[in-house]
């Protein structure tokens, strides 16, 4: 068995690697497109090869911004002929983690009701065991939601004033305050290993890398006293417009401002004529789930995130 990162000469074999299991994976069109854009890179594709034939027995593909660190594991595949798929996948992932100096979370995109799906459940089961052996033991289920142009556009808030800010430091400060006592699982997890300033700065840097226009970002202030209430950050990813980030600072929570912030983000996109705005939120973050429902967002899929605990 030979373990190594992919190189340009592997492209035909990579494109010929087809997964017939019912899980999300780096299918040929996605692989080719993301290699061209830089969101996949050959040094983020790890392979286990048959030393005699050169055939791909296993592969792991990580996603990230073109010039940044790998942020998410997109694909784990082991050929069905391998006797112990779990062991081979775990070893491949450990080699990737050692090279990166990090354990990016595994993101799996599933349909609602996947646990009862006779194809999806077993396809995910061995992958979960493999990534668990490689240190990704924390499990989070996130709802994938979307607002579409057939839904009403939220009215402007009469109690908040939204202003842009060219200085990223203003958003770093706001992100840091919003993170205090947050219900967002990923933020809480990051704060276990990063100090609040570092975590906020990394969040802002990551949103900077997204395709959404930086000029869309807004800070929200109370119309009554001018105090900072929160952040409303419309953005976009490779699939189109997304909610991005929103949050309320601790002293203003409990007054329904989440609706104003989400409304501002949705309206920002809607006024540009977009047909669909996507969003993710933790299933267990009940206040945020209800806010999305009130704003006309509907669940269309599930994102399962397996990360280092």
């Amino acid at each position: 068995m030979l373990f190594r990162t992919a190189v340009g000469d592997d492209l035909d074999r990579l494109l010929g690697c087809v997964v017939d299991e019912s899980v999300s994976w780096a299918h040929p069109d996605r692989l080719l497109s993301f290699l061209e854009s830089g969101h996949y890179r050959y040094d983020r594709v790890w392979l286990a090869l048959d030393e005699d034939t050169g055939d791909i027995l296993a592969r792991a593909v990580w996603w990230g911004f073109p010039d940044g660190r790998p942020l998410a594991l997109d694909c784990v595949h082991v050929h069905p002929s391998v006797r112990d798929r779990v062991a081979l996948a775990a070893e491949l992932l450990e080699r990737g983690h050692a090279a990166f100096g990090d354990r990016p979370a595994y993101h799996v995109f599933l349909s609602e009701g996947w646990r009862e799906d006779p194809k999806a459940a077993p396809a995910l089961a061995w992958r979960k065991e493999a990534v668990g052996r490689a240190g990704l033991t924390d499990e989070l289920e996130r709802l994938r939601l979307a607002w579409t142009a057939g839904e009403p556009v939220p009215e402007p808030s009469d109690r908040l004033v939204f202003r842009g800010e060219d200085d990223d430091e203003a958003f770093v400060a706001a992100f840091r305050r919003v993170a205090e006592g947050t219900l967002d699982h990923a933020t809480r997890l990051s704060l276990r290993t990063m100090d609040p300033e570092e975590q906020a700065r990394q969040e802002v840097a990551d949103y900077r890398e997204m395709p959404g226009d930086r000029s869309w970002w807004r800070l929200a202030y109370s119309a009554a006293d001018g105090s900072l209430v929160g952040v409303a950050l419309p953005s976009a990813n490779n699939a189109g417009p997304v909610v991005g980030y929103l949050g309320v600072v601790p002293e203003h929570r409990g007054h329904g401002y989440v609706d104003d912030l989400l409304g501002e983000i949705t309206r920002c996109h809607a006024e540009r004529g977009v047909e669909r705005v996507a969003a993710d939120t933790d299933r267990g973050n009940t206040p945020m789930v209800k806010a999305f429902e009130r704003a006309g967002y509907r669940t269309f899929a599930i994102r399962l995130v397996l990360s280092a605990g």
Side-chain angles (χ1 to χ4, degrees), residues 20-235:
D20 60 2
E21 294 171 294
S22 184
V23 295
S24 59
W25 61 285
H27 56 77
D29 289 344
R30 179 182 177 89
L31 184 75
L32 190 59
S33 172
F34 279 20
L35 282 171
E36 290 175 351
S37 70
H39 291 93
Y40 289 163
R41 296 189 334 212
Y42 287 110
D43 62 344
R44 295 178 185 157
V45 179
W46 273 80
L47 305 174
L49 304 173
D50 185 307
E51 289 191 90
D52 295 324
T53 66
D55 292 339
I56 296 175
L57 297 180
R59 74 172 186 173
V61 184
W62 282 267
W63 177 93
F65 296 119
D67 297 324
R69 70 197 193 285
L71 294 175
L73 174 62
D74 251 12
C75 172
V76 179
H77 172 63
V78 178
H79 195 276
S81 66
V82 174
R83 185 178 61 182
D84 192 341
R85 300 173 87 181
V86 171
L88 181 55
E91 182 171 358
L92 186 64
L93 294 174
E94 287 284 21
R95 289 173 182 263
H97 292 165
F100 303 146
D102 192 12
R103 288 187 169 91
Y106 181 32
H107 291 243
V108 190
F109 298 94
L110 302 159
S111 62
E112 281 270 44
W114 63 268
R115 288 179 176 82
E116 289 73 46
D117 186 328
K119 292 184 178 180
L124 182 61
W126 73 262
R127 289 176 168 86
K128 284 180 64 176
E129 185 177 351
V131 302
R133 289 190 192 180
L136 305 181
T137 56
D138 191 273
E139 182 175 332
L140 173 68
E141 190 167 326
R142 289 176 63 82
L143 303 180
R144 305 192 71 204
L145 308 107
W147 175 94
T148 57
E151 296 290 338
V153 177
E155 294 293 328
S157 173
D158 59 3
R159 57 182 184 159
L160 294 181
V161 176
F162 292 91
R163 294 201 294 267
E165 173 56 68
D166 292 336
D167 186 359
D168 283 357
E169 291 303 309
F171 285 95
V172 170
F175 272 49
R176 180 172 177 172
R177 293 186 62 197
V178 167
E180 297 173 21
T182 181
L183 295 178
D184 183 75
H185 181 84
T187 302
R188 296 202 312 269
L189 203 61
S190 294
L191 288 171
R192 294 180 189 174
T193 57
M194 304 169 73
D195 68 57
E197 177 77 14
E198 180 187 10
Q199 191 275 336
R201 201 167 292 284
Q202 186 62 66
E203 285 263 32
V204 170
D206 287 345
Y207 280 107
R208 267 289 217 172
E209 292 288 334
M210 293 180 69
D213 195 320
R214 170 65 175 78
S215 67
W216 300 342
W217 296 13
R218 294 290 182 268
L219 295 174
Y221 299 90
S222 167
D225 62 17
S227 61
L228 178 70
V229 171
V231 182
L233 201 155
S235 193

